[in-house]
Amino acid sequence: MALLDFVVNRMGKRRKTQAISGIYKITCTATGDCYVGKAVNINIRWAKHRRDLRKGSHHNKQLQWLWNQYNESDFRFEILEKCPPPVLAKREAAWIKVLGTTNRLRP
């Protein structure tokens, strides 16, 4: 049985979501720049990205700069591949290479 986690949606209501392990991409649609990451629970990770970006404290300064320059609606979050936790690092590295990203963000 898959793990269930609670995620807070934009309205602050808690809802159950199935944990999805895999590789994801955050794209600034205004510039085409993208960030590739991995997570055991992608929905929880995306919530943390959004929270940090909104607060102006994201660990990736390039992504934070883009977020500050454009609107939140200019960013697309998408799952590239679902995969089990033991292979996350290997698959993330493969996607970074395929997409040609540097330091997880392609200029």
Side-chain angles (χ1 to χ4, degrees), residues 68-90:
N68 295 342
Q69 298 303 308
Y70 299 96
N71 296 318
E72 184 171 342
S73 61
D74 291 322
F75 288 82
R76 183 176 65 235
F77 290 67
E78 62 187 303
I79 296 172
L80 296 174
E81 177 182 358
K82 295 178 185 178
C83 55
V87 299
L88 285 173
K90 182 177 178 181

Side-chain angles (χ1 to χ4, degrees), residues 59-73:
H59 70 276
N60 186 296
K61 300 304 177 198
Q62 292 172 299
L63 184 59
Q64 184 66 62
W65 185 86
L66 287 169
W67 186 271
N68 295 342
Q69 298 303 308
Y70 299 96
N71 296 318
E72 184 171 342
S73 61

Side-chain angles (χ1 to χ4, degrees), residues 1 5 11-12 15 18 23 32 39 41-42 44-45 50 53 56 59-60 62 76 83 87-88 94 96-98 105:
M1 183 170 169
D5 293 296
M11 302 301 290
R15 59 189 166 98
Q18 184 175 355
I23 311 305
N41 186 324
I42 292 175
I44 295 294
R45 185 67 182 116
R50 285 187 177 100
L53 288 163
H59 70 276
N60 186 296
Q62 292 172 299
R76 183 176 65 235
C83 55
V87 299
L88 285 173
I96 288 171
K97 186 174 181 179
V98 165
L105 194 71

Side-chain angles (χ1 to χ4, degrees), residues 24-26 33-38 45 49 58-64 66 92-93 95-107:
Y24 61 89
K25 180 172 73 164
I26 303 171
D33 293 322
C34 63
Y35 171 99
V36 175
K38 65 181 179 303
R45 185 67 182 116
H49 277 299
H58 197 274
H59 70 276
N60 186 296
K61 300 304 177 198
Q62 292 172 299
L63 184 59
Q64 184 66 62
L66 287 169
E92 179 191 37
W95 277 104
I96 288 171
K97 186 174 181 179
V98 165
L99 295 173
T101 60
T102 305
N103 291 334
R104 296 185 173 197
L105 194 71
R106 186 196 66 199

